[in-house]
Each structure stands twice: as structure tokens, then as C-alpha cells.
Amino acid sequence: MSTSYLSKGAVSAGVGLLLYVGLTYMLTNYGFRFDVGWFLLSISPYQWALIGIALAVSLSVLGAALGIFATGVSILGGGVKAPRIRTKNLISIIMCEAVAIYGLIMGIVISGSISSYSTTKIEDLALKYRAGYKLFGAGLSVGLCNLFCGICVGLVGSGAALADAQNSSLFVRILIIEIFASAIGLFGLIVSILQSNGSNMSD
Amino acid sequence: MKDDLFFNLDHGYAEGLCRGFKSGILKASDYHNLVQCETLEDLRLHLQSTDYGNFLANEASPLTVNVIDDRLREKLVQEFQHLRNVSYQPLSTFLDYITYAYMIDNIVLLITGTLHQRAIGDLLPRCHPLGSFEQLGAITVADTPAQLYTAVLVDTPLAPYFIDCISEHDLDELNVEIIRSTLYKAYLEDFYNFCKTLGGITAEVMCEILAFEADRRAFMITINSFDTGLTQDERAKLYPTCGHLNPDGLQELRRTDSYDGVRDVAARYPQYKVLFEGSGTNTGDKTIEDKFFEYEVKLNMNAFLRQFHFGIFYAYLKLKEQENRNIIWIAECIAQKHRTRIDNYIPIF
């Protein structure tokens, strides 16, 4: 990879600083101050859950957008000399759009589980934190799965449009590849629903 | 990955368009029909049913081969200009690089024409439209390469290629050919380095094609210089260094002085060994130029097998030019009623 000297220098400086700080803490017996548990507990479960929603929607939309522009532009280009491909290839665009809809659905489902609480008992608070982590996990899994699904469907769709312009018997074959590609987005949706199940934050 | 992911953002439309143009390239069945034609009018009729359509519709009835040649070239230039107009950086720089080769040809054409005392008005229409630039008409005022550079070429994109050619010798016949070869060598190496910096699939596809072009130039310069007064050292300065022959093959080529010597050098490289074996100087064989054309067509066709790179634009232009040469060959055979070698076109698809 062609990284410049500046970025290499910046990365090594950062790593060096971290090493220095970590060793100082460890060797001066102040290692207890580096408290991951305290950090996690001080972030409220609302924060985790709402970031989960944000990731679910935004990453899904990013994947769908990358897919739609990749396919759409190829349909435009190929459609100039082969106008018959224009309508058939909109299926690829619809499949990319479905990816964004999965993100939307999960966003709604996750936000339905969020509600305010007022307990102070440790056992109940633990359940609230669990709910927050579960919703964050759900949002992250559906977001990332849909991101890569959208990219994949879009790139395959671009190839499908150009191949269809050359030889119309190829379109249905390449569509099968796209169907497999869009199945991986569905996996993300299913896992995410399983994760967000039973994660209720109300008292 | 950045190749695949973001290529369509700027260049997807141009790629789709170029592939659409490529699907209009004549197939084997079209050539079969064209070869059966008896007259040029038949040829026009058969070309109407292909992607060419009515491009000859407005021509007067006794068609000549020159008219067909002009119309074919005009259509190609239109398509290329359209692609250039819809392109963004860095595709537009890439397409500009392709046109520099035609600029070099135009400059040499004008200089040679001036040496033979032809008027500038006769020469300018014969220039290739893809290689036109603003100062083209001013070339005839120069007497030496140094004048040519300082007066005309320093503002054109060809300026960096001219550094090796500046001298105070007068522009005469032999000198002009050497200027052409030197300019082309500098251009080819510059283009090769540009494709390398683009990286990714473009570099893989284009560097293969340009390396073959460099080696082909080296072979042809060697073969064509056997009976001229060109010394071995002068010849060696004209070999482009961006091919597979660099550096051992070029050293060997410099020392050869017969066609068999060239064949021996080519035998060391498997892809060229095959080409030289299939050719010969007898009347029934294919010449080495034909074999080179065939190999070039094969490399250009392979460029279309990959997506998300700029090589298809270069390959499309070269394939279209080859198709034009094929059609003109068939038209000439028909016009002169000399049909024995009409099948010697280079098939593309």
C-alpha cells in the first residue's frame, strides 16, 4: 500500500505515545486507573441503543446508495445503444432498495424497545444495560450486513446491465447471482431481530 | 477495491456507452456478407444493416474508396469525441493521451508535405481530426527542429517529448522519420508510466497492451532499417523501453542485421516466437505485420473481459480502426476487381 511518510509518521507517533502511557501506568502501580468496566458502565444504555438505531439505518442506506449508483449509471450507459435493457434492469435497483428497507425496519423495531426506566436496584439495572447492549448489537449487525449486501448487489447489477446489453440471454443467469447476494442482507436482518428480541427496557 | 467500488461514480456512463459502441463492431457474419459484395453500392447496402446505418446515404452515386474511408473515420472521430466530452478526470487525461499519437502523425505529415512544397491548404484536410490542436497550421513556418519547438510545440502537450529531438539540423526526409520515432518513443513511455500511476486493473490491462506496442515498434524499426543508412546506435536510441524486450532483447536487436537475426531474438520470448513462426516472406504466408495486427486485436479484445478500467476505451478505438482498415481492404479489392486476397482482413469477433 502506498501510504505517505506523513501518515506513517503520525501512526507511529500515536502508537508510541500509547505504549509510553500504558507502560507508565503499569510500572507506577496506577494500572487500576485504566478501568474499562467503569467506562462501559458510565455510558448509559440509552446511548448504546440509540447509536444502534443510527448504525442500523445509516449503514444500510450507505450500502443501498453505493449499490444503486453503481447499477444505475451502468444502466444509463448501456441503455444508450441497447434501449431494451432499461426496464428489465430496474430489478437490480429494487433489490438494492430492499436493503435500505431492511435497515428502516430494524430501526423501527429497535426504537420500539426503548423506554425510560427509574429503578436503582442493581439486578434490574443490569437488565437495562443488557437491553442497551443487545440493541446496539442488533443495529450494528443489520447495518454492516446491509452495507456489504448493498455494495455486492450493486456491483453485480452493474455487470448484469452491461452483459444484458451485449447478449440478452445473460440477464436471468446474472440475476441468480444477485439473488444470492441479496440473501446475505436478509441474514443480517434475521440475526438482528433475534438479538433485539426480549430486550425490553421498561420497568 | 477502490477500483470497483467508486469507478462507476465518475466513469460508469462512459463505460456503458463504450461497451454499447463495441457491440456495434462488425461480426464474422457481417464480414461474410461484405466479402460477397460485387460493387461498392452493394457494400453500402450491406453496411446499412449494421451499426453504421445510413452514414453513406448522402454520398453521390459513383462511390469511391476514399469517400468511404473519410466517412468511416468521421464516424469513429464523432464517437471518440462524444466519449471525451462525457468523461471526467482521470479518464479525460487518459483519452487525451490517446490523441497525442495522432498529433505526432499530423506533425510529421505536415513537415513532410512542406518539404515536398505542398500548400498548407492541401495538407490540413489530410490531418487526422483526433490529433488536431490549435497551432497545427503554424508548423510549416519552421525550418529546423529547434524552431519547430520554440515557435509551435512548446505550448502543446507534446512539448516534453520533444526534448530529445531538438537540434539545429535541417528538417529533411530521413530526419523527419527519426523525429517521428523519437517522439513516439517518448510518448509511449510517458503513457506507460501514466497508466502505471493509475494503478489497479487499468494498469494491468494497459501496460500489457503498451508493452506489446513498444516491442512491436522495436521489431519493425529493426526490420525496416536494414537497407537504410541507419547505424546500430541510432537505431537503438529509437527503441521504446517500456516493453518486455527491455533490456536484453533490445541489446540483441541492436546487434542484429538480418531478418533471421530478428527472428532469433524473438525466439527467446514465447509470445513473439509464435508470431514469427507463423509468418514468412513468401507470397502465400501472412507477413509479420499481419501477425502483429492479429495479436494486437486479441489483446484489445481481452481488455473487454474486465470491468471498471479505462483500457476498454483504448481497445475500442484500436478495434474500430482495425475494422475500418478491414472495410477499406475489402472495398479496395472490390473496386479493383482483384478478389483473390479479399479474405486477408483481420477478423475481430
Side-chain angles (χ1 to χ4, degrees), chain A residues 66 69-71 73-74 76-81 148 151 154-155 158-159 162 165-166, chain B residues 4-6 8-9 11-13 15-17 19-23 51 75 79 307-308:
Chain A
L66 286 166
F69 87 65
T71 307
V73 169
S74 288
L76 282 177
V80 172
K81 298 294 279 188
F148 295 118
I151 293 174
L155 292 181
S158 157
L162 295 177
Q166 300 281 322
Chain B
D4 294 356
L5 207 47
F6 297 114
N8 269 4
L9 196 56
H11 316 303
Y13 178 69
E15 171 170 22
L17 199 52
R19 282 179 187 268
F21 288 148
K22 169 252 187 192
S23 69
D51 203 42
K75 182 165 196 293
E79 291 175 347
Q307 206 183 352
F308 306 129

Side-chain angles (χ1 to χ4, degrees), chain A residues 9-88:
Chain A
V11 166
S12 4
V15 169
L17 193 62
L18 274 175
L19 266 176
Y20 169 70
V21 166
L23 277 176
T24 311
Y25 269 115
M26 189 177 83
L27 295 172
T28 55
N29 224 358
Y30 276 96
F32 64 88
R33 290 235 186 130
F34 183 69
D35 198 346
V36 180
W38 163 84
F39 177 70
L40 285 179
L41 280 181
S42 64
I43 300 183
S44 113
Y46 296 132
Q47 170 86 312
W48 288 115
L50 290 165
I51 289 186
I53 298 178
L55 287 174
V57 170
S58 55
L59 291 178
S60 305
V61 165
L62 181 61
L66 286 166
I68 291 180
F69 87 65
T71 307
V73 169
S74 288
I75 297 178
L76 282 177
V80 172
K81 298 294 279 188
R84 59 190 160 77
I85 71 167
R86 289 172 308 184
T87 322
K88 237 182 352 172

Side-chain angles (χ1 to χ4, degrees), chain B residues 28-46:
Chain B
S29 55
D30 296 316
Y31 281 119
H32 198 65
N33 285 343
L34 288 182
V35 166
Q36 313 274 3
C37 292
E38 296 290 334
T39 68
L40 290 181
E41 295 299 328
D42 272 347
L43 195 77
R44 169 167 37 188
L45 202 63
H46 278 113

Side-chain angles (χ1 to χ4, degrees), chain A residues 46 111-119 128 200-203:
Chain A
Y46 296 132
S111 68
S113 304
I114 302 178
S115 46
S116 48
Y117 60 87
S118 52
T119 64
K128 311 303 173 216
N200 213 336
M201 272 203 213
S202 59
D203 279 329

Side-chain angles (χ1 to χ4, degrees), chain B residues 96-196:
Chain B
D96 283 338
Y97 263 95
I98 301 180
T99 61
Y100 297 164
Y102 299 102
M103 284 186 197
I104 294 175
D105 284 339
N106 285 352
I107 291 175
V108 170
L109 182 78
L110 285 180
I111 295 177
T112 320
T114 316
L115 283 175
H116 291 183
Q117 319 296 21
R118 296 222 172 83
I120 185 78
D122 290 335
L123 293 172
L124 274 180
R126 295 181 54 192
C127 287
H128 201 290
L130 282 182
S132 64
F133 52 97
E134 288 147 12
Q135 300 93 331
L136 195 60
I139 285 184
T140 51
V141 306
D143 291 321
T144 70
Q147 268 189 11
L148 188 61
Y149 179 73
T150 51
V152 180
L153 294 178
V154 66
D155 290 324
T156 65
L158 296 180
Y161 307 148
F162 223 69
I163 308 288
D164 293 325
C165 298
I166 303 181
S167 65
E168 291 294 338
H169 298 291
D170 274 337
L171 291 170
D172 59 11
E173 283 282 346
L174 183 60
N175 217 1
V176 165
E177 279 308 309
I178 294 183
I179 288 181
R180 183 212 293 268
S181 298
T182 318
L183 280 178
Y184 199 81
K185 166 188 151 93
Y187 155 71
L188 202 57
E189 289 171 0
D190 194 24
F191 196 9
Y192 186 87
N193 290 335
F194 175 69
C195 291
K196 264 229 143 39

Side-chain angles (χ1 to χ4, degrees), chain B residues 72-101:
Chain B
L72 286 174
R73 176 181 297 189
E74 202 180 284
K75 182 165 196 293
L76 171 62
V77 168
Q78 261 183 352
E79 291 175 347
F80 188 80
Q81 298 282 21
H82 183 67
L83 282 174
R84 174 65 182 80
N85 288 339
V86 300
S87 58
Y88 288 90
Q89 288 290 351
L91 178 58
S92 34
T93 313
F94 184 87
L95 293 176
D96 283 338
Y97 263 95
I98 301 180
T99 61
Y100 297 164

